[in-house]
Amino acid sequence: MEKPQTDRLKTAILLLAVTGLVVGLAAWFAGRADIASIVWAAGVVPALAALVVEILRSIGRGEVGLDIVAALSMSAALVFGETLAAAVVAVMYSGGTFLEAFAEGRARRSMQDLLSRVPRTATRHRDGGLEEVPLDEIAPGDRLLIRQGDVVPVDGTVASGTAFLDTSALTGESLPVRLSPGADAMSGSTNAAEAFDLIATREARDSTYAGIVRLVEAAQASKAPMSRLADRWSLGFLAVTVALAFAAWWFTGDPIRAVAVLVVATPCPLILAVPVALVAGLSRAAHFGVLIKGAGPLETMARIRTLILDKTGTLTDGRPQIMSVDSAGDLAEDDILRLAAALDQASKHPVAQAIVEAAKARGFTLPVPSDVAEIPGEGVVGHVEGRRVIVGGDGFVAARVGRMAGDHPATVAGSVLVAVAVDGHMAGHLVMSDPLREGAGAMLEGLRREGIARILLATGDRADVAERVTEGLGLDGLRAGLTPDQKVLLVLTERKHGPVMMVGDGVNDAPALAAADVGVAMGARGAAASAEAADVVLLVDRIDRLGPGIEIARASRRIAVESVVAGIGLSAMGMIAAAFGYLTPVQGALLQEVIDVAVILNALRALRIAPHEPALPNPRAVTSGPADISQGATP
């Protein structure tokens, strides 16, 4: 049954139960107790019938739910003539399920906001005019007009003017992000200023926002581990309830006490509080740019003890930058950069693309290379304007021009050298660096305050590069030169210290993300494979979002446990009081209704969790694409 139909059925059952209770009370006050009893029983029947159907379905799935207690209490009350108590239980139970649905709906509001903002069409430039086209007709390279107030429909680059994008729906960032021409714009952002042109870089179905929508839909369909735990405890709770009710009847000879015990036990707060609190946590985390794929990962995230971080694109910025251009011959620095960038147009490696972007940023016109040969992990060889050019690692280039490698010191922490040779002679070096993310140290300190006992770095880079980059961060361990399967082995080994979280962004991180108890992907820029394998996706290119995400997860779980402990504790005291005759069935039903409302309201506190925000500057732009420096060389 579809959710809207289910909600309408719950509403109808609640209205029937309330109508039966109110009309029956009116008849009772009018002195017609016989009619009141019939009306109360009639109001109970729809709720009891729906409950029995749901119980049978649960048993068919191999589940024993706590709803059995509610069915027993209503049935026992009807059998022993306590029709008013049965009517109150019917209103209580149907009202509880209705309130739960309402509370979950409110808790999901932030996620639904993401879904409701999906644009259906876009405005495209065509033949000197504008046309409105469906999203699935947009292709990479299309020039789109993004008007003020429009949601960016696909990932792209700003082509004209300066864009001010409101990313609050995706990240919780209150201030618009300023993007200069050439900067990457993430789909799902809202244009907060004047219109600008966007060059599409991806199709709509492959864009960031489309992936976010798919992840949100998957998250909404999840069921929390604590809810499953409640199901496993159902049989034990049912046995205790029935045993206490039978004992009260056996020792006193009064079946009404048994009815009162069953009524007070209906329904258990485990049914209501846990899903509401955890779904509220999912909604709150999404507000801060942390998309958790379900209540299960959120509950596990709250228990994490070990954190494993990838380096490139995760702990570091992942966008290699040219620190300097050093000439080793007669060529000028600009000529070295222009020739290297022209050849690197034929490579998709991040370092090569960074060189190309740096050259374009300086206004260079890049000729098309010819006779290009790429040696993966080493470098690129080809011709540019009739000159033979070699670009790659220092050792790779030096071996091809008859020189010794290592005659250029790379003094910047974590820097790598890209050598350039022209016509058989070493022309110079590009000194590049992948800088550590600003505020990374403060972020790690915050995670330790949240209870993370071990923080390790796992990277495929050389050990010396990784050590220089992470110097002073106080990591508990550094594993360099790892292959994807070795990262998986590290995750499995670290489980002896407790649940493990792995954070990465590349295709090579996907196996480790899947193996970890909680895998976290840098969704704004990371590879699609890592986002698919991960349990949590950071919607923006900011690793500092991880701290608020963990804090929200732990607070949500704590609120859920508090609600359960308080609710069950109060229910247990009420059951004992009913067994000793201090509560009538009607009084017990009213007491349990108060308890249920209280635990749901308490669970909704998760919507107001205010995590500690790191004081970091706004990112200048959100970019997309792979990020990996392999062995300090272009491919």
Side-chain angles (χ1 to χ4, degrees):
M1 182 179 296
E2 297 295 330
K3 193 176 189 306
Q5 292 178 316
T6 303
D7 290 343
R8 285 194 293 270
L9 179 60
K10 289 179 179 180
T11 302
I13 291 174
L14 174 60
L15 289 175
L16 289 173
V18 170
T19 300
L21 178 61
V22 172
V23 173
L25 286 173
W28 187 80
F29 282 115
R32 299 302 304 270
D34 53 340
I35 295 178
S37 182
I38 295 173
V39 172
W40 285 329
V44 171
V45 170
L48 182 57
L51 186 54
V52 170
V53 170
E54 183 60 33
I55 290 171
L56 293 176
R57 287 177 178 173
S58 298
I59 293 175
R61 296 191 300 266
E63 300 174 358
V64 179
L66 292 167
D67 292 345
I68 294 178
V69 178
L72 282 176
S73 64
M74 280 188 270
S75 300
L78 290 177
V79 168
F80 292 105
E82 291 287 338
T83 52
L84 175 56
V88 173
V89 171
V91 171
M92 175 188 68
Y93 184 78
S94 56
T97 56
F98 177 83
L99 182 58
E100 178 190 8
F102 173 79
E104 287 194 9
R106 181 188 168 191
R108 295 180 189 271
R109 188 176 302 158
S110 295
M111 296 181 124
Q112 290 290 356
D113 287 345
L114 286 173
L115 299 179
S116 64
R117 296 176 67 256
V118 178
R120 306 298 177 188
T121 61
T123 304
R124 181 171 62 186
H125 290 271
R126 177 60 59 87
D127 299 329
L130 296 173
E131 60 178 356
E132 201 77 11
V133 296
L135 287 193
D136 55 8
E137 293 185 12
I138 298 174
D142 284 349
R143 191 181 187 95
L144 307 177
L145 174 65
I146 310 299
R147 295 162 297 195
Q148 185 173 8
D150 282 353
V151 175
V152 178
V154 297
D155 292 342
T157 58
V158 178
S160 65
T162 298
F164 288 87
L165 295 184
D166 178 5
T167 62
S168 59
L170 302 176
T171 69
E173 185 66 60
S174 58
L175 297 177
V177 177
R178 180 182 181 275
L179 301 182
S180 301
D184 293 337
M186 184 171 65
S187 55
S189 306
T190 302
N191 183 12
E194 299 299 324
F196 66 93
D197 285 349
L198 181 87
I199 303 298
T201 56
R202 294 182 183 178
E203 295 181 358
R205 66 174 179 269
D206 298 325
S207 290
T208 301
Y209 195 62
I212 290 172
V213 169
R214 287 192 293 270
L215 295 175
V216 169
E217 291 171 341
Q220 290 183 333
S222 71
K223 188 178 184 184
M226 292 179 71
S227 296
R228 290 194 294 268
L229 184 62
D231 293 339
R232 291 197 297 270
W233 285 356
S234 297
L235 191 59
F237 184 84
L238 174 62
V240 170
T241 301
V242 172
L244 184 58
F246 181 77
W249 186 2
W250 176 268
F251 287 107
T252 65
D254 184 3
I256 303 304
R257 291 197 183 187
V259 174
V261 171
L262 293 173
V263 165
V264 175
T266 310
C268 177
L270 262 172
I271 301 175
L272 304 175
V274 174
V276 171
L278 297 188
V279 171
L282 293 178
S283 174
R284 191 61 174 161
H287 177 76
F288 286 90
V290 183
L291 183 58
I292 305 174
K293 292 186 181 179
L298 181 137
E299 197 273 340
T300 306
M301 195 173 176
R303 299 183 292 108
I304 291 299
R305 298 290 296 164
T306 300
L307 173 66
I308 301 176
L309 295 164
D310 176 48
K311 182 181 76 68
T312 305
T314 302
L315 194 59
T316 64
D317 190 62
R319 287 185 287 260
Q321 300 175 7
I322 294 180
M323 309 300 292
S324 64
V325 181
D326 300 337
S327 177
D330 297 331
L331 278 179
E333 295 178 1
D334 285 353
D335 291 331
I336 294 172
L337 176 58
R338 188 179 69 87
L339 291 173
L343 181 60
D344 271 342
Q345 291 178 104
S347 174
K348 291 185 177 181
H349 193 279
V351 174
Q353 292 302 305
I355 294 172
V356 173
E357 291 175 7
K360 289 182 177 179
R362 296 192 185 187
F364 296 155
T365 299
L366 302 180
V368 178
S370 60
D371 304 323
V372 178
E374 184 172 356
I375 296 85
E378 298 290 345
V380 185
V381 179
H383 285 84
V384 178
E385 297 179 331
R387 311 184 73 172
R388 181 173 174 78
V389 180
I390 306 173
V391 180
D394 191 37
F396 171 79
V397 177
R400 281 159 177 74
V401 297
R403 289 186 58 172
M404 292 292 294
D407 58 354
H408 186 294
T411 58
V412 181
S415 63
V416 294
L417 283 178
V418 177
V420 182
V422 179
D423 293 333
H425 300 284
M426 185 70 76
H429 292 84
L430 308 179
V431 181
M432 306 190 71
S433 177
D434 183 13
L436 193 69
R437 289 183 184 271
E438 188 171 1
M443 183 269 295
L444 295 183
E445 291 177 4
L447 292 177
R448 290 193 187 279
R449 287 194 298 270
E450 284 299 315
I452 304 296
R454 287 175 56 80
I455 301 178
L456 298 92
L457 182 73
T459 178
D461 267 355
R462 301 192 313 266
D464 58 336
V465 173
E467 287 172 359
R468 287 198 299 266
V469 169
T470 60
E471 186 177 358
L473 288 183
L475 298 174
D476 296 295
L478 189 155
R479 307 289 186 272
L482 299 182
T483 59
D485 58 325
Q486 289 173 329
K487 287 186 178 182
V488 172
L489 181 60
L490 176 62
V491 168
L492 298 178
T493 302
E494 286 297 321
R495 277 186 172 165
K496 64 185 179 183
H497 300 290
V500 175
M501 173 184 286
M502 171 73 192
V503 186
D505 79 318
V507 174
N508 61 330
D509 297 319
L513 295 178
D517 295 283
V518 176
V520 180
M522 304 292 292
R525 297 176 53 204
S530 62
E532 186 68 26
D535 304 294
V536 179
V537 179
L538 304 184
L539 301 183
V540 286
D541 187 31
R542 290 176 58 177
I543 188 68
D544 64 291
R545 298 290 89 187
L546 193 59
I550 292 177
E551 190 174 346
I552 289 170
R554 295 194 169 177
S556 300
R557 186 175 186 272
R558 182 176 64 251
I559 289 171
V561 171
E562 288 172 355
S563 299
V564 167
V565 171
I568 290 183
L570 292 172
S571 296
M573 289 189 289
M575 290 165 62
I576 294 173
F580 282 96
Y582 294 111
L583 288 176
T584 66
V586 174
Q587 292 170 339
L590 294 174
L591 172 63
Q592 188 59 55
E593 178 71 358
V594 172
I595 294 172
D596 293 337
V597 171
V599 297
I600 290 177
L601 293 177
N602 184 67
L604 283 173
R605 288 194 299 117
L607 286 172
R608 300 193 300 273
I609 297 171
H612 295 89
E613 285 275 28
L616 293 180
N618 289 342
R620 289 174 296 177
V622 179
T623 63
S624 61
D628 186 29
I629 296 181
S630 176
Q631 303 300 321
T634 55

